[in-house]
Amino acid sequence: EPEVTQTPSHQVTQMGQEVILRCVPISNHLYFYWYRQILGQKVEFLVSFYNNEISEKSEIFDDQFSVERPDGSNFTLKIRSTKLEDSAMYFCASSPRHNEQFFGPGTRLTVL
Amino acid sequence: AQKITQTQPGMFVQEKEAVTLDCTYDTSDQSYGLFWYKQPSSGEMIFLIYQGSYDEQNATEGRYSLNFQKARKSANLVISASQLGDSAMYFCAMREVQRDDKIIFGKGTRLHILP
Protein backbone atom coordinates (compact mmCIF):
# COMPACT_ATOMS: atom_id res chain seq x y z
CA GLU A 1 0.00 0.00 0.00
CA PRO A 2 1.42 3.42 -0.92
CA GLU A 3 2.72 5.51 1.97
CA VAL A 4 3.97 8.98 2.67
CA THR A 5 7.67 8.84 3.43
CA GLN A 6 9.81 11.36 5.26
CA THR A 7 13.55 11.82 5.64
CA PRO A 8 15.44 12.02 7.84
CA SER A 9 13.69 10.29 10.71
CA HIS A 10 15.69 12.34 13.18
CA GLN A 11 17.58 15.59 12.60
CA VAL A 12 19.78 17.26 15.17
CA THR A 13 20.93 20.79 14.46
CA GLN A 14 22.52 23.75 16.17
CA MET A 15 20.44 26.80 16.91
CA GLY A 16 20.66 29.26 14.05
CA GLN A 17 21.26 26.64 11.38
CA GLU A 18 18.96 25.93 8.48
CA VAL A 19 17.28 22.55 8.06
CA ILE A 20 15.37 20.97 5.21
CA LEU A 21 12.87 18.27 5.97
CA ARG A 22 11.90 16.07 3.08
CA CYS A 23 8.70 14.28 2.24
CA VAL A 24 7.56 12.11 -0.62
CA PRO A 25 3.75 12.21 -0.73
CA ILE A 26 1.62 9.42 -2.15
CA SER A 27 2.01 9.69 -5.89
CA ASN A 28 -1.52 10.48 -7.08
CA HIS A 29 -2.30 12.87 -4.23
CA LEU A 30 -2.88 16.53 -4.96
CA TYR A 31 -2.87 18.21 -1.56
CA PHE A 32 0.15 18.37 0.71
CA TYR A 33 0.54 19.51 4.27
CA TRP A 34 3.03 20.06 7.03
CA TYR A 35 2.11 19.74 10.69
CA ARG A 36 4.22 19.81 13.82
CA GLN A 37 3.85 18.28 17.25
CA ILE A 38 5.86 19.63 20.14
CA LEU A 39 6.60 16.82 22.58
CA GLY A 40 3.54 15.96 24.64
CA GLN A 41 1.30 18.42 22.86
CA LYS A 42 -1.29 18.23 20.14
CA VAL A 43 -0.60 18.26 16.44
CA GLU A 44 -0.62 21.77 14.92
CA PHE A 45 -1.17 22.73 11.31
CA LEU A 46 1.62 24.64 9.60
CA VAL A 47 0.85 24.88 5.90
CA SER A 48 -1.07 23.37 3.02
CA PHE A 49 0.06 23.26 -0.58
CA TYR A 50 -1.93 22.69 -3.75
CA ASN A 51 -1.25 23.30 -7.40
CA ASN A 52 2.30 24.39 -6.70
CA GLU A 53 1.44 27.09 -4.25
CA ILE A 54 0.60 27.58 -0.61
CA SER A 55 -3.16 27.42 -0.14
CA GLU A 56 -3.18 28.12 3.56
CA LYS A 57 -0.74 28.75 6.38
CA SER A 58 -1.03 29.14 10.13
CA GLU A 59 0.32 31.91 12.29
CA ILE A 60 3.18 29.57 13.19
CA PHE A 61 4.31 29.51 9.57
CA ASP A 62 6.17 32.80 9.49
CA ASP A 63 9.04 33.98 7.31
CA GLN A 64 11.32 31.48 9.00
CA PHE A 65 9.53 28.68 7.14
CA SER A 66 9.17 27.88 3.47
CA VAL A 67 7.90 24.96 1.41
CA GLU A 68 8.75 23.71 -2.03
CA ARG A 69 7.82 20.96 -4.40
CA PRO A 70 11.02 21.02 -6.39
CA ASP A 71 10.63 18.05 -8.71
CA GLY A 72 7.05 16.78 -8.75
CA SER A 73 7.66 14.09 -6.17
CA ASN A 74 9.39 15.66 -3.19
CA PHE A 75 7.77 18.17 -0.86
CA THR A 76 10.16 20.00 1.44
CA LEU A 77 9.90 22.17 4.51
CA LYS A 78 12.80 24.55 5.09
CA ILE A 79 13.33 26.14 8.47
CA ARG A 80 15.81 28.99 8.44
CA SER A 81 17.76 30.04 11.51
CA THR A 82 16.32 27.36 13.78
CA LYS A 83 15.37 28.19 17.35
CA LEU A 84 15.19 25.96 20.40
CA GLU A 85 11.41 26.10 20.29
CA ASP A 86 11.40 24.61 16.79
CA SER A 87 12.25 21.26 18.34
CA ALA A 88 9.30 19.05 17.53
CA MET A 89 8.08 16.19 15.41
CA TYR A 90 7.25 17.41 11.94
CA PHE A 91 4.69 15.48 9.96
CA CYS A 92 4.06 15.63 6.26
CA ALA A 93 0.63 14.57 5.02
CA SER A 94 -0.97 14.17 1.64
CA SER A 95 -4.50 13.80 0.43
CA PRO A 96 -6.14 12.86 -2.87
CA ARG A 97 -9.00 15.24 -2.14
CA HIS A 98 -10.36 17.18 0.78
CA ASN A 99 -11.00 14.14 2.94
CA GLU A 100 -8.53 11.82 4.53
CA GLN A 101 -5.03 13.10 5.05
CA PHE A 102 -2.40 10.42 5.22
CA PHE A 103 0.53 11.21 7.43
CA GLY A 104 4.15 10.25 7.06
CA PRO A 105 6.13 8.77 9.94
CA GLY A 106 7.48 12.17 10.94
CA THR A 107 10.88 13.77 11.35
CA ARG A 108 11.98 14.47 14.88
CA LEU A 109 13.86 17.77 14.87
CA THR A 110 16.09 18.54 17.82
CA VAL A 111 17.58 22.01 18.02
CA LEU A 112 20.52 22.35 20.41
CA ALA B 1 -12.37 28.41 22.06
CA GLN B 2 -11.47 24.80 21.56
CA LYS B 3 -12.74 23.41 18.30
CA ILE B 4 -12.11 19.80 19.29
CA THR B 5 -12.53 18.62 22.87
CA GLN B 6 -11.35 15.28 24.13
CA THR B 7 -12.25 15.10 27.79
CA GLN B 8 -10.44 11.86 28.64
CA PRO B 9 -6.70 12.46 28.95
CA GLY B 10 -6.16 8.79 29.78
CA MET B 11 -8.12 5.55 29.85
CA PHE B 12 -7.40 2.04 31.07
CA VAL B 13 -9.38 -0.78 29.49
CA GLN B 14 -9.21 -4.54 29.86
CA GLU B 15 -8.17 -6.46 26.76
CA LYS B 16 -11.09 -7.69 24.64
CA GLU B 17 -13.47 -5.11 26.02
CA ALA B 18 -14.99 -2.43 23.83
CA VAL B 19 -13.83 1.12 24.43
CA THR B 20 -15.37 4.48 23.57
CA LEU B 21 -13.17 7.53 23.20
CA ASP B 22 -15.10 10.78 23.49
CA CYS B 23 -14.86 13.71 21.13
CA THR B 24 -16.98 16.82 20.80
CA TYR B 25 -16.46 19.52 18.25
CA ASP B 26 -17.48 23.08 17.66
CA THR B 27 -18.28 24.51 14.27
CA SER B 28 -20.89 26.69 12.66
CA ASP B 29 -20.19 25.21 9.24
CA GLN B 30 -22.61 22.77 7.65
CA SER B 31 -19.91 20.93 5.73
CA TYR B 32 -17.08 19.41 7.71
CA GLY B 33 -15.18 16.20 8.17
CA LEU B 34 -14.22 14.37 11.32
CA PHE B 35 -11.19 12.16 11.69
CA TRP B 36 -9.58 9.87 14.19
CA TYR B 37 -5.87 9.19 14.21
CA LYS B 38 -3.84 6.78 16.30
CA GLN B 39 -0.34 7.66 17.47
CA PRO B 40 1.58 4.74 18.97
CA SER B 41 4.69 5.26 21.06
CA SER B 42 6.78 5.12 17.90
CA GLY B 43 5.29 8.49 16.98
CA GLU B 44 3.69 8.03 13.59
CA MET B 45 0.16 9.25 12.91
CA ILE B 46 -2.09 6.49 11.63
CA PHE B 47 -5.36 7.43 9.98
CA LEU B 48 -8.20 5.33 11.38
CA ILE B 49 -11.56 6.60 10.23
CA TYR B 50 -13.35 9.52 8.58
CA GLN B 51 -16.92 10.81 8.85
CA GLY B 52 -18.34 13.50 6.63
CA SER B 53 -20.98 15.78 8.07
CA TYR B 54 -23.42 14.79 5.35
CA ASP B 55 -22.82 11.07 5.69
CA GLU B 56 -26.04 9.52 6.91
CA GLN B 57 -24.48 6.37 8.24
CA ASN B 58 -21.83 6.09 10.91
CA ALA B 59 -18.44 5.29 9.48
CA THR B 60 -16.94 1.89 10.20
CA GLU B 61 -13.49 0.47 9.46
CA GLY B 62 -12.91 -3.00 10.81
CA ARG B 63 -12.94 -2.81 14.60
CA TYR B 64 -13.30 0.97 14.53
CA SER B 65 -16.59 2.77 14.29
CA LEU B 66 -17.47 6.39 14.68
CA ASN B 67 -20.58 7.19 16.71
CA PHE B 68 -21.61 10.40 14.97
CA GLN B 69 -24.29 12.43 16.73
CA LYS B 70 -24.60 15.58 14.70
CA ALA B 71 -27.09 17.40 16.92
CA ARG B 72 -24.81 16.88 19.92
CA LYS B 73 -21.69 17.66 17.86
CA SER B 74 -20.20 14.46 19.06
CA ALA B 75 -17.95 12.02 17.17
CA ASN B 76 -16.92 9.27 19.54
CA LEU B 77 -14.60 6.50 18.41
CA VAL B 78 -15.62 2.99 19.37
CA ILE B 79 -13.03 0.22 19.30
CA SER B 80 -14.55 -3.20 19.59
CA ALA B 81 -12.71 -6.17 21.11
CA SER B 82 -9.68 -4.14 22.17
CA GLN B 83 -6.19 -5.59 21.71
CA LEU B 84 -2.89 -4.87 23.44
CA GLY B 85 -1.70 -3.22 20.24
CA ASP B 86 -4.44 -0.64 20.57
CA SER B 87 -2.49 1.04 23.38
CA ALA B 88 -1.65 4.44 21.95
CA MET B 89 -2.60 8.09 21.87
CA TYR B 90 -5.80 8.77 19.94
CA PHE B 91 -6.55 12.12 18.36
CA CYS B 92 -9.90 13.36 17.18
CA ALA B 93 -9.71 15.99 14.46
CA MET B 94 -11.93 18.10 12.23
CA ARG B 95 -11.74 19.86 8.92
CA GLU B 96 -14.19 22.64 8.10
CA VAL B 97 -14.56 21.96 4.40
CA GLN B 98 -15.63 25.35 3.11
CA ARG B 99 -13.30 27.29 5.31
CA ASP B 100 -9.85 25.86 4.86
CA ASP B 101 -7.66 22.86 4.26
CA LYS B 102 -6.20 22.24 7.65
CA ILE B 103 -7.15 19.58 10.12
CA ILE B 104 -7.62 20.81 13.69
CA PHE B 105 -6.63 18.28 16.30
CA GLY B 106 -7.82 17.68 19.84
CA LYS B 107 -5.38 17.16 22.68
CA GLY B 108 -5.74 13.41 22.53
CA THR B 109 -6.64 10.51 24.77
CA ARG B 110 -4.00 8.05 25.89
CA LEU B 111 -5.47 4.56 25.83
CA HIS B 112 -3.89 1.76 27.83
CA ILE B 113 -5.07 -1.79 27.17
CA LEU B 114 -4.51 -4.08 30.12
CA PRO B 115 -3.80 -7.82 29.64
Side-chain angles (χ1 to χ4, degrees), chain B residues 49-76:
Chain B
I49 198 166
Y50 170 82
Q51 177 88 41
S53 58
Y54 290 116
D55 294 341
E56 293 187 353
Q57 297 205 335
N58 286 344
T60 60
E61 288 286 347
R63 293 187 299 114
Y64 304 107
S65 60
L66 199 150
N67 184 1
F68 180 46
Q69 298 189 36
K70 196 169 182 176
R72 292 185 175 186
K73 293 188 175 175
S74 150
N76 298 341

Side-chain angles (χ1 to χ4, degrees), chain B residues 14-34:
Chain B
Q14 208 67 42
E15 189 182 9
K16 297 180 185 165
E17 288 185 354
V19 56
T20 298
L21 304 182
D22 295 341
C23 174
T24 57
Y25 59 91
D26 180 28
T27 181
S28 55
D29 287 7
Q30 295 301 309
S31 182
Y32 51 90
L34 297 158

Side-chain angles (χ1 to χ4, degrees), chain A residues 15-35:
Chain A
M15 189 170 59
Q17 296 295 306
E18 176 182 286
V19 295
I20 297 176
L21 310 182
R22 291 184 166 79
C23 169
V24 179
I26 296 172
S27 64
N28 61 344
H29 286 189
L30 302 176
Y31 301 86
F32 314 113
Y33 310 85
W34 283 101
Y35 292 82

Side-chain angles (χ1 to χ4, degrees), chain A residues 31 33 35 37 41-45 48-50 55-56 58 89 91 98-106 108, chain B residues 2 4 35 37 39 42-47 49-50 89 91 95 97 99-108:
Chain A
Y31 301 86
Y33 310 85
Y35 292 82
Q37 184 183 30
Q41 298 187 22
K42 64 180 178 180
V43 178
E44 300 173 293
F45 169 79
S48 59
F49 194 87
Y50 171 70
S55 50
E56 187 183 353
S58 73
M89 184 76 106
F91 291 102
H98 280 311
N99 287 343
E100 306 96 320
Q101 292 183 15
F102 295 91
F103 281 67
R108 183 168 296 284
Chain B
Q2 291 283 338
I4 297 287
F35 307 77
Y37 286 86
Q39 187 177 43
S42 50
E44 72 264 37
M45 293 288 286
I46 302 168
F47 167 76
I49 198 166
Y50 170 82
M89 194 75 159
F91 291 98
R95 179 174 171 268
V97 172
R99 192 183 302 271
D100 43 39
D101 295 333
K102 67 177 179 285
I103 289 180
I104 304 163
F105 284 82
K107 292 185 177 181

